[in-house]
Amino acid sequence: MIFRLRPADSSQGAVARADEASRLLLERINGHRRIMLSSTVVDGRYTLRVCVVSHRTHHDRIAEALEIITAEAR
C-alpha cells in the first residue's frame, strides 16, 4: 500500500509542500518505533509505503499500524 498527503491544488508550490509534509509524516510515524514505513517516489510524488513481509503478521499489528498512521496524519 502506498499513500501520500494530497496537495491543496496542482501548483508546484502546493505539491512541494505536500511532499515535505509527507516526509515529516513518515518521520513522526517511524518515531513511534512500533512500525517502520519506507518511502519512494511515484510519478514524481513523494509517497509512503506500507509493506508487510511476514506471513505471520497478526491482525492486531496491522490495526496498531493503522492507528498510528491515522493519528499522525491528523
Side-chain angles (χ1 to χ4, degrees):
M1 169 177 75
I2 64 171
F3 63 97
R4 65 185 177 91
L5 297 176
R6 283 190 291 184
D9 55 55
S10 60
S11 70
Q12 210 170 27
V15 170
R17 287 188 297 277
D19 283 350
E20 181 59 23
S22 292
R23 283 184 189 88
L24 295 173
L25 175 60
L26 178 65
E27 289 179 16
R28 291 194 313 269
I29 291 168
N30 288 345
H32 284 261
R33 299 183 58 141
R34 296 289 300 156
I35 61 174
M36 178 64 69
L37 303 187
S38 61
S39 64
T40 190
V41 176
V42 176
D43 293 331
R45 304 292 196 257
Y46 186 87
T47 59
L48 285 70
R49 288 195 293 200
V50 175
C51 180
V52 180
V53 295
S54 175
H55 68 280
R56 293 190 171 119
T57 301
H58 294 114
H59 179 268
D60 63 325
R61 301 290 183 219
I62 301 299
E64 179 182 18
L66 291 173
E67 287 173 13
I68 292 170
I69 293 166
T70 301
E72 290 300 335
R74 289 189 177 138

